[in-house]
């Protein structure tokens, strides 16, 4: 596998090795030792799957306390996947990065704990899968408005379809400090 750093330390693109022939292809999507050697993990405790239509935007979500790292992939379709550093005290606080992930390019993105995450569907539909490093706790669920002008994510979609919850998320500057993850220097 090839691991490609992004402009946000810790957020990495994974390009798995694809074994293909006339029958189709095979990909190893998770192997503990190999991924851990690249700082991905340590372990995952929950897998999630969502299907969405073109123009659906999910995010930007994070959990605090009990932050979740996420290893994301797209099984059908294509998305623009986004990570935003929301760790209080981070030198990259409020910065974002994005990557196009699709069933065709077979890429994965690792979003470490302490980052907000979201995606927008750019194909007719998308089947989106992700592994989480901690369990989902609804009482710790937080989010940031997808169109926060101080962050300025380029979603590549106009007038996205949002959930009622995502449509009411606060700006990053409006979130109380006690509701944000903390940056811990390595």
């Amino acid at each position: 596998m090839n691991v490609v750093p992004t402009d946000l330390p810790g957020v990495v693109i994974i390009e798995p090795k694809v074994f293909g022939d006339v029958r189709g292809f095979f990909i190893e999507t998770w192997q503990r030792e190999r991924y851990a050697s690249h700082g991905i993990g340590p372990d995952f405790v929950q897998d999630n799957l969502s299907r969405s239509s073109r123009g659906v935007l999910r995010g930007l979500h994070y959990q605090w306390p009990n932050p979740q790292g996420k290893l994301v992939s797209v099984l059908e379709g294509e998305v623009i996947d986004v990570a935003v550093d929301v760790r209080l005290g981070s030198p990259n606080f409020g910065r974002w990065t994005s990557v196009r992930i699709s069933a065709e390019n077979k890429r994965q993105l690792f979003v470490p704990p302490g980052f907000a995450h979201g995606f927008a569907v750019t194909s007719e539909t998308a089947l989106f899968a992700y592994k989480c490093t901690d369990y989902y706790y609804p009482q710790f669920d937080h989010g940031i408005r997808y169109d926060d002008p101080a962050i300025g994510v380029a979603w590549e979609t106009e007038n996205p379809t949002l959930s009622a919850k995502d449509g009411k998320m606060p700006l990053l500057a409006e979130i109380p400090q006690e509701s944000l993850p903390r940056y811990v220097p390595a």
Side-chain angles (χ1 to χ4, degrees):
M1 79 182 183
N2 186 33
V3 178
V4 181
T6 67
D7 53 350
L8 287 180
V11 178
V12 295
I13 300 164
I14 298 101
E15 297 172 336
K17 189 167 187 164
V18 180
F19 301 91
D21 59 27
V22 296
R23 301 168 297 160
F25 67 87
F26 172 84
I27 298 173
E28 195 173 74
T29 60
W30 164 249
Q31 201 271 7
R32 179 188 291 173
E33 289 179 11
R34 185 172 303 115
Y35 279 64
S37 72
H38 293 283
I40 300 166
D43 272 327
F44 296 97
V45 299
Q46 180 175 322
D47 286 1
N48 299 321
L49 187 65
S50 72
R51 178 178 292 285
S52 304
S53 301
R54 182 185 301 277
V56 167
L57 192 154
R58 296 180 184 264
L60 295 158
H61 304 141
Y62 70 96
Q63 186 168 278
W64 183 256
N66 298 85
Q68 292 179 307
K70 296 175 181 175
L71 178 63
V72 305
S73 36
V74 173
L75 306 178
E76 296 173 3
E78 179 181 84
V79 304
I80 297 298
D81 201 76
V82 173
V84 179
D85 189 343
V86 295
R87 298 169 301 164
L88 198 61
S90 168
N92 295 299
F93 183 78
R95 289 189 52 219
W96 63 276
T97 192
S98 69
V99 63
R100 187 174 303 275
I101 301 176
S102 69
E104 185 177 320
N105 70 23
K106 297 170 183 53
R107 288 175 150 186
Q108 298 174 302
L109 185 69
F110 179 64
V111 181
F115 287 73
H117 172 259
F119 66 92
V121 178
T122 57
S123 54
E124 284 305 307
T125 62
L127 187 58
F128 187 86
Y130 57 106
K131 303 178 89 50
C132 299
T133 61
D134 203 345
Y135 300 102
Y136 172 68
Y137 296 100
Q139 70 272 28
F140 301 146
D141 188 32
H142 296 281
I144 303 163
R145 248 183 45 201
Y146 79 97
D147 61 349
D148 185 330
I151 299 171
V153 174
W155 287 104
E156 299 184 29
T157 185
E158 292 184 32
N159 303 314
T161 303
L162 304 170
S163 69
K165 178 178 97 171
D166 286 352
K168 295 185 228 173
M169 291 291 182
L171 300 173
L172 182 56
E174 297 170 340
I175 297 173
Q177 288 191 0
E178 62 272 7
S179 296
L180 290 169
R182 305 304 183 265
Y183 172 71
V184 179

